[in-house]
Amino acid sequence: MMNLPESVRENVLRDVIDTAPFPIGVYTGYEMKIVLANQCMIKTYGKGPDVIGLNYTEILPELENQQIFEQLREVLHSGKPYEAKNARVDIVVEGELRPHYFNYNFTPIFGPEGKVYGVMNTAAEVTELNVARQQTLEIEKKLRLAVESAQLGTFEMDMQKRIISGSKRFLKFFEMENGELSFATLSSLIHTEDREKWVNSLNTLSNTGDLHCELRLIIRNAIYWLRFSGSLSESDNKENIIVGIAQDITQQKKNAQELLQLVEQRTIELQRSNDDLKQFGHVISHDLKEPVRKILLFSNILKQDAADGQAPRISQYAHKLNKSAERLTEMIDSILDYSSAGSPDLCEAVDLNETIKSIKEDLEIKILEKSAEIEHSKMPKVKGSKILFHQLFYNLIANSLKFSRDNCDSRIKIQCSTDEGNLRITVSDNGIGIAPENSLKIFNAFERLHSKDQYEGTGLGLSLCKKIVERHNGQLKNINSESSGAVFEMIFPAAILY
């Protein structure tokens, strides 16, 4: 290059400048006359190809309020170069003011006497890089907002150093203001039942590269649930680093548990409703049948005696008909009240003496058929459902009558006592009894120990009795009797006494 003639050197230099892949321009004087501009600079101006000889201030007046002219004049005045990085420059291109970003330099050009006579302007347009950077910052901002609104904590887990660093929110989960969390410290906070789950999650990282785990942490004697989600970093300088997010899901777990309890409660209520339906069927098929039988029986006798002119007996049977009709009406009203209420009132005052008396009246015909005798000690008044307690004793007494011995008068005894904070009621009889191997089986729904030909019934009676006792927080069990007959014992908490 040095051996070339000066004219050739100038042409080569001009070609190099003109074809350079970045803008180059030279300005002289206070008005900054353009004496040189390569193709990249002319393209950057955006004012067409004929700019040589024009003033910089004339072709780019939009720069007047952007401090660029002041920067150039300061270089002309001081002789000191000026450099800008990622500077925004708004230029009118095709009639539209558009933002551009440049790394540019203003370099002073000195004459033979050492005075500055011009400025060389070189630049590198970085608009695309800055737009990408701004988009990245915007995405990061949105991500931070999303993380904050979701109350997430971010973390980096160094698998080699066995330490975890995280955001303020992440550290706040562990009641830390700053610093790092060691694996050992985290493990000590994890609920003992969840530590194996944590270890297994870390072990699977080598295969999957992902971390997903929900853990209970014990911090200041309180239990919290945290969900960890992360994956291996793809950065070259962050090998063996897990980056991820953590979320406090304590409230979610609490809500899920409450929902589960609500579902279980609704399931129990539905089961009770189904039991009530079965009970209604049992009441209709058994309890209501007895008053109807009595009405039919006495009405037939009444008709026969009326035909025979036996006036005294007519009055007696009319009275019995009236009582049976009243009892039937009462039972129907109770069933309607029960069904309309949705569930029975378990806080009614129930006089068990009156309950047993009404049952004896309902079962009068069967009692006469079996030559039965029903004894009971003075019974207490309890808190519960009148209709359910009537059903309970009706089923037990009717059961004793049904399974009485042939050619033997039936004897049914009802006794009560209180001990150790409990109310105990036993119903015993001298019937055919229950084999020990069937003492639990008899409480199963639809369980029959005898054929329908031998004994009528649906197999629901004792099952319903057990559920009624349990509805009143009690227990019902069959006691194996040394003598013949069956013995049923009901145990209620003393709080049931009215």
Side-chain angles (χ1 to χ4, degrees):
M1 182 74 175
M2 295 299 295
N3 296 327
L4 294 175
E6 184 176 348
S7 60
V8 175
R9 289 202 307 269
E10 288 180 358
N11 289 333
V12 171
L13 183 60
R14 185 174 295 277
D15 289 341
V16 170
I17 292 173
D18 197 48
T19 59
F22 54 89
I24 301 175
V26 175
Y27 320 123
T28 60
Y30 185 81
E31 295 298 326
M32 290 166 278
K33 183 178 180 180
I34 301 172
V35 297
L36 184 149
N38 68 355
Q39 292 300 313
C40 278
M41 181 62 84
I42 291 173
K43 184 178 179 181
T44 300
Y45 293 156
K47 309 299 181 182
D50 301 323
V51 296
I52 303 299
L54 300 177
N55 291 335
Y56 190 51
T57 56
E58 292 175 349
I59 68 168
L60 293 169
E62 60 266 31
L63 302 184
E64 182 67 39
N65 297 321
Q66 299 183 51
Q67 298 184 340
I68 292 177
F69 294 160
E70 288 85 347
Q71 294 165 2
L72 276 166
R73 288 167 181 148
E74 179 63 25
V75 173
L76 278 169
H77 176 74
S78 67
K80 296 179 181 179
Y82 180 84
E83 181 181 17
K85 294 288 187 181
N86 296 311
R88 175 173 171 168
V89 181
D90 294 339
I91 303 174
V92 175
V93 179
E94 298 178 354
E96 182 181 350
L97 187 66
R98 300 175 184 173
H100 297 73
Y101 291 86
F102 294 95
N103 294 335
Y104 63 84
N105 291 274
F106 294 145
T107 306
I109 301 174
F110 295 91
E113 299 179 356
K115 292 184 178 181
V116 179
Y117 71 88
V119 176
M120 181 175 66
N121 176 201
T122 57
E125 186 168 1
V126 291
T127 301
E128 291 185 359
L129 288 175
N130 273 271
V131 170
R133 176 172 170 271
Q134 289 177 2
Q135 290 175 343
T136 301
L137 291 174
E138 189 66 25
I139 291 172
E140 289 179 352
K141 181 180 178 181
K142 290 179 179 178
L143 180 59
R144 282 196 302 271
L145 288 173
V147 168
E148 285 299 316
S149 62
Q151 297 186 337
L152 302 174
T154 58
F155 66 85
E156 290 191 1
M157 188 182 299
D158 192 321
M159 301 301 292
Q160 287 185 334
K161 295 180 180 179
R162 313 291 285 180
I163 56 174
I164 306 171
S165 57
S167 63
K168 288 184 178 180
R169 185 177 293 277
F170 177 82
L171 295 174
K172 191 176 180 180
F173 291 153
F174 304 92
E175 298 193 354
M176 297 173 60
E177 293 294 331
N178 48 48
E180 296 175 328
L181 186 68
S182 68
F183 276 34
T185 301
L186 175 59
S187 180
S188 67
L189 297 174
I190 296 174
H191 195 288
T192 53
E193 295 178 4
D194 291 349
R195 287 177 185 171
E196 185 177 356
K197 186 195 302 183
W198 172 245
V199 172
N200 291 338
S201 298
L202 294 179
N203 291 337
T204 57
L205 276 171
S206 57
N207 296 326
T208 64
D210 294 323
L211 173 69
H212 297 286
C213 196
E214 293 182 358
L215 303 170
R216 285 170 292 176
L217 302 177
I218 302 177
I219 301 174
R220 295 187 185 276
N221 298 321
I223 296 179
Y224 299 90
W225 277 93
L226 278 190
R227 176 186 291 142
F228 291 85
S229 298
S231 59
L232 282 169
S233 174
E234 296 181 0
S235 300
D236 294 335
N237 62 338
K238 288 189 175 183
E239 294 182 0
N240 298 315
I241 299 292
I242 301 294
V243 293
I245 58 174
Q247 182 181 17
D248 186 343
I249 57 171
T250 306
Q251 190 60 43
Q252 294 180 28
K253 290 290 186 180
K254 182 179 179 181
N255 292 342
Q257 183 62 31
E258 290 176 351
L259 180 60
L260 180 61
Q261 291 175 350
L262 183 60
V263 170
E264 290 177 350
Q265 180 182 345
R266 292 290 185 267
T267 302
I268 292 172
E269 290 176 356
L270 180 60
Q271 183 62 47
R272 285 179 176 175
S273 179
N274 290 336
D275 292 341
D276 290 343
L277 288 175
K278 293 177 184 177
Q279 196 153 319
F280 286 148
H282 192 78
V283 169
I284 292 169
S285 64
H286 289 77
D287 296 25
L288 298 184
K289 193 184 294 182
E290 289 305 318
V292 172
R293 278 182 64 186
K294 290 176 69 175
I295 290 172
L296 290 174
L297 174 64
F298 290 123
S299 64
N300 288 330
I301 296 174
L302 187 62
K303 285 193 295 184
Q304 183 63 43
D305 285 355
D308 295 341
Q310 299 185 29
R313 294 186 63 183
I314 291 175
S315 176
Q316 178 185 353
Y317 293 132
H319 176 72
K320 289 184 178 293
L321 278 171
N322 187 60
K323 290 287 290 184
S324 296
E326 287 179 357
R327 178 65 189 143
L328 182 59
T329 302
E330 181 184 351
M331 293 179 70
I332 292 173
D333 288 342
S334 296
I335 292 171
L336 289 175
D337 290 342
Y338 186 4
S339 60
S340 62
S343 60
D345 181 3
L346 301 181
C347 292
E348 294 178 305
V350 184
D351 187 338
L352 296 182
N353 296 288
E354 293 297 324
T355 300
I356 295 172
K357 179 181 177 183
S358 64
I359 292 171
K360 288 167 71 173
E361 291 176 357
D362 292 342
L363 296 173
E364 181 181 3
I365 297 174
K366 279 192 176 180
I367 292 172
L368 291 172
E369 289 175 354
K370 299 288 185 176
S371 299
E373 182 180 332
I374 301 175
E375 299 179 25
H376 68 87
S377 57
K378 182 172 178 56
M379 304 298 289
K381 184 181 288 187
V382 297
K383 287 181 287 187
S385 167
K386 287 183 179 180
I387 189 171
L388 291 185
F389 267 108
H390 182 277
Q391 183 71 31
L392 170 63
F393 283 96
Y394 183 97
N395 286 349
L396 291 174
I397 294 171
N399 226 47
S400 294
L401 292 171
K402 182 196 303 184
F403 296 106
S404 62
R405 294 178 179 275
D406 294 334
N407 304 317
C408 179
D409 294 344
S410 179
R411 295 291 180 267
I412 302 170
K413 183 178 291 186
I414 305 172
Q415 296 175 301
C416 72
S417 63
T418 54
D419 61 84
E420 299 178 355
N422 293 318
L423 170 65
R424 295 177 182 270
I425 301 175
T426 58
V427 178
S428 58
D429 60 50
N430 62 342
I432 61 173
I434 300 168
E437 62 270 19
N438 294 326
S439 60
L440 295 177
K441 191 187 298 185
I442 56 173
F443 295 113
N444 296 334
F446 304 107
E447 186 73 49
R448 296 181 60 89
L449 305 182
H450 308 279
S451 68
K452 288 185 178 181
D453 294 337
Q454 288 180 287
Y455 299 98
E456 64 175 3
T458 61
L460 270 175
L462 290 176
S463 173
L464 293 175
C465 286
K466 186 172 186 294
K467 290 184 180 297
I468 291 170
V469 173
E470 290 172 351
R471 287 286 286 275
H472 292 82
N473 300 316
Q475 293 179 320
L476 173 65
K477 53 186 177 181
N478 171 54
I479 300 175
N480 293 325
S481 175
E482 295 181 359
S483 60
S484 60
V487 179
F488 291 96
E489 182 180 54
M490 292 165 275
I491 304 174
F492 298 98
I496 199 173
L497 293 169
Y498 197 82

